[in-house]
Amino acid sequence: MKVVITSEGSTMEDPVDPRFGRCRTFLLTDTEKEEVQAVPNDAAALGGGAGIQAAQNVVDMGAEAVITGQLGPKAAQAIQAGGTPVYVGASGTAREALKSFKEGRLKTLQRPAPGTGMGRGRGMGPGQGRGMGRGRERQKG
């Protein structure tokens, strides 16, 4: 199984980078062959859209699972659109995170239901009241 771990370095002894889109390196691990390839995250230097571009890079690597600390909703949606599960809350070294993954101790990021998320709400619109308040009454004089 090909598992991508966000990392602050290029080895399994380096800490997990809690940031997905801005992590320094992706560790592409083959859990069956026990091989690790360090892939620099070129998207980290982008001014905007780093999470989405990083997600596309991970999908292009053929990842079957992603282990990270956290990621934004757009990056999560981009990864999960291809059916790749994302495991969040990872910490410690990459090796420890992979062990936690294998033992089922990482939380799976739940896929949002269709139609939820960043929609158009009714929050800042004009009020629906009739403006019938009395305020201060004028004195007749």
Side-chain angles (χ1 to χ4, degrees), residues 1-89:
M1 175 180 219
K2 290 184 178 180
V3 179
V4 168
I5 305 168
T6 58
S7 177
E8 293 181 10
S10 58
T11 72
M12 292 296 285
E13 304 314 317
D14 288 310
V16 169
D17 196 322
R19 306 161 302 159
F20 174 78
R22 303 270 181 209
C23 74
R24 181 174 165 200
T25 309
F26 294 116
L27 296 178
L28 178 59
T29 63
D30 186 323
T31 59
E32 294 162 10
K33 297 180 183 176
E34 297 186 11
E35 296 176 347
V36 178
Q37 177 185 359
V39 180
N41 179 15
D42 297 332
L46 295 176
I52 295 171
Q53 184 59 51
Q56 185 60 53
N57 293 344
V58 165
V59 169
D60 291 346
M61 284 183 231
E64 297 172 78
V66 175
I67 299 172
T68 188
Q70 61 186 358
L71 72 163
K74 291 179 183 177
Q77 184 177 14
I79 292 172
Q80 292 177 326
T84 305
V86 178
Y87 297 86
V88 293

Side-chain angles (χ1 to χ4, degrees), residues 15-18 67-69 88-98 100 106:
V16 169
D17 196 322
I67 299 172
T68 188
V88 293
S91 61
T93 67
R95 186 173 311 283
E96 292 166 343
L98 185 59
S100 293
L106 294 180

Side-chain angles (χ1 to χ4, degrees), residues 12 44-45 62 94 97 121 138-139:
M12 292 296 285
R138 271 198 257 173
Q139 291 197 1

